[in-house]
Amino acid sequence: MRRGSKQYVRLVGAIALGGLTALAAGVAAQPEAAPATGSIAVGNYNWVQAAVLGLVQGLTEFLPISSTAHMNVVPIALGWGKPGVTYEAIVQLGSVAAVLWYFWGDLVRLGRGTWHGIRSRDWQVPELRLTAGILMGTVPIVICGLLLKALVPDLDNTPLRGLTAIAIASVVMGLLLGVAEWLGTRQRDYDQLDARDGILMGLAQCLALIPGVSRSGSTITAGLFLGLERATAARFSFLMGIPAIALAGLVELLDLIESGFANAEALPLLVAVVTAVASSYVAIAGLIRFLQQQDAWVFVWYRLLFGAFVFWGIFSGWLTQ
């Protein structure tokens, strides 16, 4: 099968996987709970709005520009209201489906190599070391995420998820990405990744709990500081994101199934997730190809302009919670 045909089959499969995830969520939940004041119920967007939010989620999840920031700013700017943490997390499952499908070959090789290393007790097997790095890099964000969820029960309505925090984070992380692009040696490739990279990039990933930071942005920035090639930093960032994004989405999905949808409509949510799958797949392939040939300065300038736009919207009164 030719390369183009394989990518087409992968994309269709990823869309199908994401669609089944959303459909399962819609079937499992019951319309019991009323929506919180000032928020829109999960699935309560119409089809067009859901498709737009799925597109926004997919295109920004893996680009170093923060999907959470755009999922908050775009619907508010369009007058649709704030989606909320639960909606964002469930739509993110579409991005998980896309990255699983895109990197399926890599994941299979990692699994086989890891199993071989464990059976032979050869702890220097590259796949085993890389898997260990991904798992150890996931631990910090899991701990921080659980602590944040336990200590801040109404996180969605705190200043931490406000527009001002998003604007500040966008500008600060844009500057850090610029410094990493400027100082990074970019001498290490994919075969030279190890557990230390996973741990350090995992610690950086914790910053993504602040909207506007960007999970991929923080990890790619850390990777550049560690001397990784741009495309290698992005590729490892995407692999590290699989457990982190999946766990966040599943936690919110379980909470939603337990409490029930508020005036839920499963089909618009399905549209959002499927759109997120397709756009995430395109974003993954596009970013890796882009960083193989170009630098990351376009994302630095975009983040600075986006942060400035949000600040302007806040002070002019056009963007409000």
Side-chain angles (χ1 to χ4, degrees):
M1 186 181 294
R2 292 187 303 177
R3 181 178 179 84
S5 300
K6 288 182 179 179
Q7 289 184 340
Y8 176 75
V9 171
R10 284 183 175 183
L11 178 56
V12 172
I15 292 173
L17 181 59
L20 289 173
T21 301
L23 190 58
V27 171
Q30 298 296 324
E32 298 172 358
T37 303
S39 65
I40 292 181
V42 172
N44 208 33
Y45 292 107
N46 63 41
W47 288 36
V48 174
Q49 292 170 330
V52 170
L53 292 180
L55 183 65
V56 170
Q57 160 62 31
L59 291 178
T60 58
E61 176 63 46
F62 296 105
L63 300 183
I65 58 177
S66 179
S67 62
T68 304
H70 287 76
M71 284 288 283
N72 278 268
V73 172
V74 171
I76 291 175
L78 294 174
W80 298 347
K82 189 177 180 181
V85 176
T86 301
Y87 192 94
E88 294 170 20
I90 292 176
V91 177
Q92 276 183 332
L93 292 175
S95 296
V96 174
V99 75
L100 282 173
W101 209 271
Y102 187 89
F103 288 109
W104 186 251
D106 297 65
L107 294 172
V108 170
R109 284 190 293 274
L110 277 176
R112 289 174 177 170
T114 298
W115 178 243
H116 172 73
I118 293 174
R119 288 187 61 185
S120 62
R121 297 189 178 183
D122 182 359
W123 312 121
Q124 299 305 313
V125 171
E127 291 83 1
L128 177 57
R129 296 173 64 187
L130 189 57
T131 300
I134 292 173
L135 294 178
M136 286 188 288
T138 303
V139 172
I141 195 170
V142 170
I143 294 174
C144 292
L146 290 175
L147 286 174
L148 196 62
K149 191 175 180 65
L151 299 176
V152 190
D154 195 22
L155 177 63
D156 203 23
N157 296 310
T158 62
L160 185 64
R161 292 188 62 87
L163 294 176
T164 302
I166 287 174
I168 293 172
S170 182
V171 171
V172 171
M173 288 306 300
L175 293 174
L176 282 176
L177 179 58
V179 173
E181 176 64 41
W182 182 34
L183 296 179
T185 58
R186 297 181 289 280
Q187 295 178 343
R188 299 168 57 217
D189 60 20
Y190 192 75
D191 294 329
Q192 295 172 295
L193 288 167
D194 56 29
R196 182 183 72 102
D197 297 311
I199 295 171
L200 294 176
M201 291 174 70
L203 291 172
Q205 190 172 227
C206 292
L207 295 173
L209 293 170
I210 303 173
V213 168
S214 170
R215 191 205 58 78
S216 61
S218 60
T219 50
I220 289 174
T221 298
L224 292 177
F225 274 122
L226 291 171
L228 299 181
E229 294 176 344
R230 299 184 187 97
T232 297
R235 197 175 188 88
F236 191 45
S237 168
F238 298 158
L239 290 172
M240 284 190 64
I242 293 174
I245 302 171
L247 286 172
L250 290 174
V251 167
E252 294 295 340
L253 182 59
L254 290 174
D255 287 347
L256 183 65
I257 291 173
E258 183 179 346
S259 61
F261 273 103
N263 299 322
E265 295 180 24
L267 287 180
L269 183 59
L270 175 62
V271 170
V273 174
V274 170
T275 308
V277 173
S279 52
S280 293
Y281 192 95
V282 171
I284 293 168
L287 183 61
I288 290 177
R289 184 173 301 177
F290 178 85
L291 291 179
Q292 287 173 342
Q293 303 172 355
Q294 306 291 333
D295 56 41
W297 281 103
V298 64
F299 302 111
V300 174
W301 296 117
Y302 178 86
R303 291 190 67 106
L304 296 177
L305 290 173
F306 181 79
F309 166 77
V310 177
F311 273 127
W312 171 80
I314 294 170
F315 292 121
S316 68
W318 181 57
L319 289 178
T320 63
Q321 294 289 84

